[in-house]
Amino acid sequence: MADALTAAASIMNTDMERMNIIAHNLANTGTVGYKRQMSLAVPFTERMNVLGGNRVNPFFAMPLNTVGPVTDFSSGPVRYTGNPLDIAIPSPNAFFEIQTEQGSAYTRRGTFQVDPQGRLVTDQGHVVVGETGDIVLRSPQPVIDAKGQIFEQGQLIGSLRVVSITNPETMDAGSGGLFLPGDKTQVDAAKNVPVRQGFVEMPNLSSVQEMVRLMETMRHFEAAQKIVQGYDDMMDKALRKIGEF
Amino acid sequence: MIDSLYIGATGMNAQQLNVDTIANNLANVNTTGFKKNRVNFEDLLYRDAIKASAEEGVTTGALPIGSGARVGSSLKIFTLGDIKTTGNPTDVAIRGAGFFEIVLPDGSFAYTRNGAMQINKDGLLTTAEGHPLKNAPEIPPDATELVIQPDGKVLVSLPGQRERLEVGEIELATFINPSSLRAQGDGIFVVTPDTAAPTYAKPGEDGTGALAQTFLESSNVKLIEELIGLVVAQRAYEINSKVVQASDEMMGMANNLRR
C-alpha cells in the first residue's frame, strides 16, 4: 500500500524538477546563445524497484524518474542586430572557442566586446581564441567574413577559431552561455562552417512548446495530488468502516 | 520546487530592466547625439543537485540545474545616427567614428558626440552646457564668419581682411572599446577603468569621421526596432509571470494534499 503514496510523492517531486527546467528555459527566452534544456526520464518501474536501496535520492528521499536536464543543441533563429562585434553561427554543432581559467570552453554566444588591451573578448571578459592566438583589434568595427577572417581597413589581422563538436551533449553547461568540455567531447577544427557578422543566435525554444509542457506538468502534478487524496480516502474508509466495532 | 518560482521572478526582473532600457531609448529618440542602449541577458549559475544514477549505488556527476536569467550588461551601441542639416554655423556633426573631447568644470576630460556648440564669453567653442572643447580655438569677438572644415581646421573671417584666419584645430578622440564608456547624461561620456586610453586623430584620418558644419547627428534609435523589442519584452514578462503563477498553484496543490 505504501507504494501508491511513494509513487505519488515521487511523481510530484519529478514534476517539480521539470517545472524548474521549464522555468529556466522561459526565463532565458531573450538570452543570446542559450540552448534549451529538456528533462530526460527513465521508466518509472526501474526507479520504484529499488526503493529503500542506496539508489534513493537523499535530497528528496524519493526516487525520481528523471535522469536530469539534457541540453538541446539544435540551432536557434538568427536575428539581425547590425553590431559589428555580434557574430552568429547558423549551423548546429559548431562553437566559438573561449579561453577561461578552467581551460577551453565553447559557446554559441557571439556578443563579443573589445577589452582595454584591444583583445576580442566575450561579454564576460573571457578571451576569444583565434586561429593564431588572441585577436587584437584597433577599432571596434572590424569586418568579419563568412570564414571568420577578421579584416581592419582591408588588412587581415586574424581569424576566429570555430570548432565542430559532434557530441555536444557530453559538455557541461556553465553560466554565461559557456559549455565546458567533458572527457568524451570530440573537438575538431570546423570545416566550411560559415559565420555571420551583425547577427546573434537566439534561443532554440518555442514559448508555445514550453507553455504546453508547463500545463502538462501542472495537470500531471494535480493528478498525483488526486492519487494521494484518493489513497487517503481509502485509508480513511478502511480505518473507520472496516475497523468499526 | 520553490526554485521555479524564483527562476520565474528572475525572468520577470530581467525583462523589466529591458523595458526600462527601451523606454529610455524611446524617450531620447530626438536627442542630438544620443546612442541607444542594448540589454544583454545571461543565463544564471547552474547549481549541481545530487544525481540518482542508473547504476547500483553510484552517484555519478551532478545535475546542472539552471537558476534563471539576469541582465549581464547594458551597453551603448555606437552606430551612427542620421545627419541632419540645421544651417547653424556652430553646429558640427561627425560623419563617422570619433568623439569631441571636452573639459569638465573640475578639469577632467569627457567625450561627446553632441556637436550643437556655442561660443562662450571668452570666445571658446563649448557644448550647449558650457563645457569647452579641449584646446578650443579662440574665436575673436569681431569675427564675421566661422568656418569649420571637414578636416577639423577652424577658420574665421575678420572684417577688412579677404583671407580667412586659422584660429585652431579640432581633434577627435577614438577608443577601441567605446562600449565601456559611461554615459553621464547631457550626452557626455566619461572613461571607466575598463576603457583603453583614447587615440587622437584629425577628423577624417585613422578611422574617424570628417566634420560636417551646420549639421547635427540625431539619435541612432530606430523606432520600429524599439517598439518590436517592447512587444517581445512584454510577452516575455508575461510568460515568466505564467511560470510564477503555475509554481504557485502547484505549491497550493501540495499544501492541500491533506484536506
Side-chain angles (χ1 to χ4, degrees), chain B residues 62-106:
Chain B
L63 287 176
I65 301 191
S67 317
R70 68 173 184 136
V71 171
S73 53
S74 174
L75 298 173
K76 284 275 180 199
I77 303 293
F78 283 94
T79 49
L80 298 177
D82 292 335
I83 314 270
K84 299 230 163 72
T85 177
T86 60
N88 200 349
T90 50
D91 286 343
V92 190
I94 308 173
R95 280 191 202 275
F99 294 85
F100 295 114
E101 193 167 8
I102 59 179
V103 184
L104 296 177
D106 64 355

Side-chain angles (χ1 to χ4, degrees), chain B residues 28-228:
Chain B
N28 282 292
V29 71
N30 280 327
T31 306
T32 308
F34 178 77
K35 295 298 168 195
K36 66 186 172 195
N37 271 74
R38 187 183 76 176
V39 167
N40 280 330
F41 299 110
E42 273 172 20
D43 48 348
L44 278 176
L45 282 191
Y46 287 77
R47 74 169 167 84
D48 296 328
I50 300 178
K51 184 173 175 177
S53 92
E55 276 87 45
E56 190 74 42
V58 171
T59 46
T60 59
L63 287 176
I65 301 191
S67 317
R70 68 173 184 136
V71 171
S73 53
S74 174
L75 298 173
K76 284 275 180 199
I77 303 293
F78 283 94
T79 49
L80 298 177
D82 292 335
I83 314 270
K84 299 230 163 72
T85 177
T86 60
N88 200 349
T90 50
D91 286 343
V92 190
I94 308 173
R95 280 191 202 275
F99 294 85
F100 295 114
E101 193 167 8
I102 59 179
V103 184
L104 296 177
D106 64 355
S108 60
F109 297 125
Y111 303 89
T112 184
R113 297 274 303 182
N114 186 342
M117 311 239 193
Q118 294 173 344
I119 303 178
N120 72 359
K121 58 177 169 48
D122 300 322
L124 298 173
L125 272 178
T126 68
T127 63
E129 290 82 38
H131 305 302
L133 288 181
K134 192 174 87 158
N135 303 329
E138 212 174 302
I139 319 279
D142 56 347
T144 51
E145 197 192 0
L146 173 69
V147 171
I148 303 177
Q149 286 188 324
D151 65 356
K153 289 205 175 59
V154 181
L155 303 145
V156 291
S157 287
L158 292 169
Q161 288 186 19
R162 191 169 323 156
E163 291 258 330
R164 293 206 187 103
L165 176 68
E166 187 180 326
V167 290
E169 212 177 337
I170 300 180
E171 266 192 335
L172 293 179
T174 49
F175 298 90
I176 357 169
N177 53 349
S179 313
S180 62
L181 291 169
R182 189 167 56 85
Q184 212 179 302
D186 291 337
I188 297 175
F189 294 97
V190 292
V191 296
T192 60
D194 284 330
T195 314
T199 44
Y200 298 97
K202 272 161 64 113
E205 283 175 18
D206 245 4
T208 57
L211 297 184
Q213 191 185 12
T214 71
F215 285 84
L216 280 181
E217 184 190 12
S218 28
S219 78
N220 65 349
V221 174
K222 303 254 183 318
L223 269 182
I224 303 286
E225 199 181 287
E226 299 298 323
L227 285 175
I228 304 251

Side-chain angles (χ1 to χ4, degrees), chain A residues 16-17 20 24 26-28 30-31 67-69 86 109 113-114 116 124 137-138 176-177 218 221 225 229 232, chain B residues 1 3-4 7 38 41-43 46 63-65 68-69 75 176-177 194 196 240 243 246 249-250 253 256 258:
Chain A
M16 288 187 214
E17 286 299 308
N20 287 343
H24 185 66
L26 285 174
N28 283 291
T31 307
V67 171
D86 283 346
R109 188 181 165 86
Q113 305 295 328
V114 179
Q124 277 109 40
L137 295 174
R138 296 210 339 265
M218 274 188 65
F221 189 87
Q225 181 205 30
Q229 285 170 350
D232 192 37
Chain B
M1 137 88 88
D3 275 359
S4 57
I7 294 174
R38 187 183 76 176
F41 299 110
E42 273 172 20
D43 48 348
Y46 287 77
L63 287 176
I65 301 191
L75 298 173
I176 357 169
N177 53 349
D194 284 330
N240 280 292
V243 167
E249 271 185 55
M250 278 170 78
M253 284 180 219
N256 288 320
R258 165 115 191 110

